[in-house]
Amino acid sequence: MSSAVAGRPPVPSAPPAAVLCGLGGWLPPRLVTNDDLAERLDTDDTWIRTRTGIGSRHTIEPGQATSDLAVEAGRRALDSSGDSSGDSSVDAVVVATTTPDRTCPATAPLVAARLGLAGAAAFDVAAVCTGFVYGLATAAGLIAAGTARRVLVTGADTYSTIVDPADRANAIIFGDGAGAVVLRAGHPDEPGALGPFDLGSDGAHEDMIMVAAGGSRSRPEPGRTSRADLHFAMRGKEVYRNAVTRMAESARTVLDRAGWKPADVDLFAPHQANLRILHSVADDLELPRERCLTHLRSVGNTGAASIPLALADTAARTPVEPGSRLLLTAFGGGLTWGSCVLTWPALSAPVPPPYQGEDTTP
Ligand code: UT7
């Protein structure tokens, strides 16, 4: 006799887990070293390396845009999932970005169309450097609800389009790039399964990281809008302090939810903001620094792309045992922050390094 016949509602089965099954990254070929920056800015390689840990970054050429990077990263993620084409392979495309191709429309539908995925749901997520973690959470929700079975989540940013090249404080930090993952419906015990999430925000501090003009609050007006208002501005020291505190708090929250201890974490993939920030968070969590991914040394802070790019770089260079435990945590403008845990996936095809040319690790 079924429970419905007995007058009880049927017991709902557990929703599917989101399982990472594809991974890829892409960096534009143009490499900008610290010495290149020192030729035109009052800075030097030692200052940049000591304060940030960054040795070089990649930037797009004039005429390129965020979608160009997102398409390359997305294609590689689809390839590594063994499913490179066919509009039935992906039900939704999410692009996390602070630098969309245009104010309107979103960048994701164009990325989907260029990947042969026209017809899939496609939208952008705007949570600045936390965007990729927000994008993962959104995709996991679509999968858990049964709205999608496969989702392409891309973090893509071209900060070179919003940072004033004459602003030495910010020009040294940011680089352009894109990273992407494919998530599919699966079981929580499979390698690649995403665990619990923690997401948060505090808009009272929106002015800590901001591009003041260009949105509905302040449309750019020729002759009236200042150069500074058109460019990215950041109160570096406050951001630094908040990033350390929020990332550590959020990481602890998600570890508690997952029932993991910091010592259980095999790989720590924080948003690649500043090497000192990453080490402070790792120290705060009592995680050995060697477990912390430090891709920023060669690519700088690539915004929403930084976590998936660091994962793609790791997958291309280092064998990681499927099932190894990963902790992701991010902090960015908004303010926003977020974390999630997952296990390392069993990918069906190798992940190529996210560089077009030579290895650029300084
Ligand atoms: O996704 C979140 C993204 N944001 C971040 O992760 C940024 C977080 N903040 C930081 O990483 C650091 O605050 C910065 C790297 C941005 C700056 O480092 P800092 O140690 O906080 O330096 P500061 O801003 O306090 O500046 C110290 C000095 C200043 O000179 P004075 O006033 O002491 O004479 C700056 O003018 O360093 C000077 N300075 C530079 N010198 C050489 C600032 N930028 C540079 C530079 N080269 N590029």
Side-chain angles (χ1 to χ4, degrees), residues 100-139:
D101 283 19
R102 305 181 193 285
T103 307
C104 174
T107 301
L110 177 64
V111 171
R114 287 178 60 189
L115 286 169
L117 301 169
F123 56 95
D124 291 359
V125 165
V128 194
C129 294
T130 320
F132 181 71
V133 176
Y134 269 66
L136 287 181
T138 307

Side-chain angles (χ1 to χ4, degrees), residues 42-44 47-48 51-52 129 168-170 172-174 209 232 234 236-237 239-240 243 271 273-274 276-277 301 331-332:
D42 182 14
T43 190
D44 60 76
W47 194 97
I48 300 171
R51 298 293 176 115
T52 70
C129 294
R168 69 174 177 171
N170 288 313
I172 59 156
I173 295 176
F174 291 97
I209 294 176
F232 178 90
M234 173 169 71
K237 273 202 188 311
V239 170
Y240 188 108
H271 164 53
N274 175 319
R276 292 187 296 145
I277 293 178
N301 177 344
F331 172 86

